[in-house]
Amino acid sequence: MKQTPGFRMRMPRGGRLFLATCLGSLFVLVLYFQSITKPGKTLHTFGPRKSRSPLQTLYNGDQLELLAAQRSLQGRRELLEQACLSHTRKRRVLSPEDLKHLIVDDKHSLIYCYVPKVACTNWKRVLMVLTSDGRYTDPLAIPANEAHVAGNLRTLSEFSVPEINKRLRSYLKFIFVREPFERLVSAYRNKFTRSYNTAFHKRYGTKIIRRHRPDPDPEALEQGNDVSFNEFVQYLVDPRTQREEPFNEHWERVHSLCHPCAIHYDVVGKYETLEPDAQAVLRLAGVEDTLQFPTSGKSTRTDGNMAARFFKHISPFYQKKLFNLYRMDFLLFNYSTPEYLRTR
């Protein structure tokens, strides 16, 4: 039997080309929408959008494994944010007067909040080199007293409110902190046990002796140069002290100097890991190949063991009062209660 051939309709050639073009275009559109809706690696952009921000490299870099120092810096920033949420009920609105400790480097888009007794002399030296347009090249060649001269570096408080907000939004902001009681003992040793600090002896020592030493002799009242650590602690926890005037910056709490719950610091460095943390900041600033952070040559640096010796003769009553005074710095910067502390 002869089979009847099947009937088949042929599409014109022009129609086939049109269909192929439509399918190809649809495929390209699908790929495009997949690419633009794919989650990105970073949520934050700091500085111009033309190039990749150094902060993106630090916290969300392309490398398979972040360096230990980088992971540590990211963890500190996250812990600080969590502590602020847990321990601060109301964030106060800052005024320019609150920003006197924030040093600005417009050339490298940096803001550094300096904390006395946390390598701030060397950081000021570094920033003088960065902002000097060639006048300074070696941080250690800058005398320590010159690093602290008012006017050598600009602070955020000198700018108008719009300029302040502009810099806070776009600059790399960093801070270095230290175990609170080690910093406090370091401040006491430097300001009250060194014979050359006569200005502090006259300004604070005489007041401390007059108020907290029973039957002081006339020479001590006049010179103020033999304040004991116990007397210094009593002065700090005395309610009259802060009612009369703010704490001196050398023993003021870090959270009062730098306002870490109101200002979003990108890097929280620590004195205990000063060298790698400082190197990370210089890397972010893009100057790690031309500038080295000065290393400390001190052989009698105040550490936990030395702090323990000073606190040995402080009564539990005053230890507890002092810990409560500095408690927020312990909490915000993730420092544990010292083992030598006796608060009961």
Side-chain angles (χ1 to χ4, degrees), residues 117 185-194 196-197 250:
K117 309 312 299 176
V185 171
S186 178
Y188 166 76
R189 290 178 63 216
N190 179 253
K191 301 306 176 187
F192 294 106
T193 69
R194 303 287 190 266
Y196 55 79
N197 266 322
H250 291 85

Side-chain angles (χ1 to χ4, degrees), residues 192-231:
F192 294 106
T193 69
R194 303 287 190 266
S195 59
Y196 55 79
N197 266 322
T198 54
F200 268 81
H201 302 161
K202 290 282 189 180
R203 173 75 175 79
Y204 296 100
T206 54
K207 179 188 289 188
I208 292 171
I209 290 171
R210 184 170 63 251
R211 184 168 287 177
H212 299 288
R213 181 180 298 180
D215 301 320
D217 60 64
E219 185 180 354
L221 283 171
E222 183 183 352
Q223 300 296 328
N225 60 357
D226 64 344
V227 172
S228 70
F229 186 64
N230 188 60
E231 290 167 337

Side-chain angles (χ1 to χ4, degrees), residues 89-160:
R89 298 176 184 174
K90 186 178 179 181
R91 295 189 182 185
R92 58 179 287 235
V93 177
L94 300 180
S95 69
E97 281 292 302
D98 296 311
L99 307 175
K100 289 183 175 180
H101 273 248
L102 278 73
I103 296 173
V104 177
D105 173 8
D106 281 328
K107 186 176 180 181
H108 299 89
S109 299
L110 299 174
I111 293 176
Y112 160 60
C113 186
Y114 76 89
V115 178
K117 309 312 299 176
V118 193
C120 77
T121 300
N122 281 339
W123 269 119
K124 287 182 178 181
R125 285 167 163 159
V126 166
L127 286 163
M128 286 176 71
V129 171
L130 291 177
T131 59
S132 69
D133 293 323
R135 180 184 173 192
Y136 302 107
T137 56
D138 179 10
L140 287 177
I142 301 173
N145 62 329
E146 189 174 342
H148 296 293
V149 172
N152 280 343
L153 293 163
R154 295 197 73 181
T155 64
L156 198 58
S157 61
E158 298 173 36
F159 295 89
S160 67

Side-chain angles (χ1 to χ4, degrees), residues 303-319:
D303 57 13
N305 291 330
M306 183 175 290
R309 291 199 294 273
F310 276 84
F311 273 83
K312 185 177 180 180
H313 303 292
I314 305 299
S315 71
F317 174 79
Y318 280 110
Q319 286 190 15

Side-chain angles (χ1 to χ4, degrees), residues 119-295:
C120 77
T121 300
N122 281 339
W123 269 119
K124 287 182 178 181
R125 285 167 163 159
V126 166
L127 286 163
M128 286 176 71
V129 171
L130 291 177
T131 59
S132 69
D133 293 323
R135 180 184 173 192
Y136 302 107
T137 56
D138 179 10
L140 287 177
I142 301 173
N145 62 329
E146 189 174 342
H148 296 293
V149 172
N152 280 343
L153 293 163
R154 295 197 73 181
T155 64
L156 198 58
S157 61
E158 298 173 36
F159 295 89
S160 67
V161 171
E163 289 295 315
I164 289 172
N165 288 329
K166 175 185 173 183
R167 285 164 175 78
L168 285 175
R169 280 194 301 267
S170 60
Y171 282 19
L172 173 72
K173 300 171 290 296
F174 68 99
I175 180 177
F176 273 74
V177 300
R178 184 178 186 177
E179 201 279 342
F181 284 169
E182 291 176 26
R183 175 177 170 249
L184 189 66
V185 171
S186 178
Y188 166 76
R189 290 178 63 216
N190 179 253
K191 301 306 176 187
F192 294 106
T193 69
R194 303 287 190 266
S195 59
Y196 55 79
N197 266 322
T198 54
F200 268 81
H201 302 161
K202 290 282 189 180
R203 173 75 175 79
Y204 296 100
T206 54
K207 179 188 289 188
I208 292 171
I209 290 171
R210 184 170 63 251
R211 184 168 287 177
H212 299 288
R213 181 180 298 180
D215 301 320
D217 60 64
E219 185 180 354
L221 283 171
E222 183 183 352
Q223 300 296 328
N225 60 357
D226 64 344
V227 172
S228 70
F229 186 64
N230 188 60
E231 290 167 337
F232 178 55
V233 169
Q234 291 181 53
Y235 163 77
L236 292 174
V237 301
D238 187 337
R240 293 173 293 179
T241 300
Q242 288 191 81
R243 280 203 302 265
E244 292 171 356
E245 60 181 343
F247 275 167
N248 179 274
E249 63 178 11
H250 291 85
W251 48 84
E252 178 61 280
R253 285 71 52 92
V254 176
H255 73 271
S256 295
L257 293 175
C258 297
H259 316 287
C261 292
I263 297 172
H264 180 84
Y265 287 97
D266 305 299
V267 175
V268 179
K270 288 198 171 185
Y271 190 75
E272 294 79 10
T273 51
L274 177 61
E275 291 187 24
D277 292 355
Q279 190 63 26
V281 171
L282 296 178
R283 189 183 312 123
L284 291 170
V287 297
E288 76 275 18
D289 294 330
T290 58
L291 185 61
Q292 195 77 20
F293 189 82
T295 55

